[in-house]
Amino acid sequence: MAATKTAAKKAAPKKLGTSADDRYFADQSPEKRALLEKLRALVIKAVPDADVSIKWGVPFYQRNGKNVCALASFKDHVGINFFASPSALPDPQKKLEGSGKSNRMLKVRSAADIDSASITRWLKAAAA
């Protein structure tokens, strides 16, 4: 019986809020942790079936094997990277940064930088 439970645990994907991202968040300063947790709550709400794993040292959130976003802490901000074509991420206020073909980053320095409606829209576009 114990072998069956162990095998089932290994096969189960890591869901949002599991130890992978919890450990990363726990290593951050209280201010950055609070911002990361607010962003993670938006990810959970917008893409509830996303899986989480650590890639390149930061939490990545995927849906059906496709990267949706990543959360990371930097010296002066935290960031959320959206993995989608810039054309799928409408940004009339020019809040997103980057020039690549497949992702953009929102730098968050305070809770005031978290525009829930825009972030939710970008998450859904990246998950589509």
Side-chain angles (χ1 to χ4, degrees):
M1 179 98 170
T4 304
K5 286 184 180 179
T6 302
K9 282 185 182 179
K10 287 182 181 177
K14 296 175 186 171
K15 287 295 179 186
L16 295 176
T18 61
S19 61
D21 51 357
D22 285 339
R23 282 191 304 267
Y24 179 83
F25 290 6
D27 289 340
Q28 308 308 315
S29 69
E31 298 82 17
K32 288 184 180 170
R33 185 178 323 123
L35 295 173
L36 289 166
E37 288 173 352
K38 287 176 192 251
L39 292 171
R40 177 172 57 181
L42 292 173
V43 174
I44 291 169
K45 184 176 179 184
V47 193
D49 58 341
D51 297 317
V52 62
S53 62
I54 300 294
K55 295 182 182 181
W56 298 285
V58 300
F60 270 68
Y61 301 86
Q62 305 91 20
R63 183 175 186 208
N64 299 323
K66 177 185 178 270
N67 288 334
V68 174
C69 70
L71 299 177
S73 179
F74 299 91
K75 182 179 177 183
D76 297 324
H77 65 278
V78 299
I80 179 168
N81 274 64
F82 301 95
F83 296 101
S85 159
S87 63
L89 303 170
D91 183 24
Q93 295 178 335
K94 305 293 183 207
K95 292 182 178 183
L96 296 176
E97 297 184 22
S99 59
K101 294 180 181 180
S102 61
N103 73 57
R104 290 290 182 267
M105 176 189 269
L106 175 67
K107 291 182 179 177
V108 178
R109 291 175 177 84
S110 72
D113 294 336
I114 299 175
D115 175 356
S116 297
S118 293
I119 292 170
T120 299
R121 189 170 49 253
W122 294 327
L123 286 165
K124 289 184 178 191

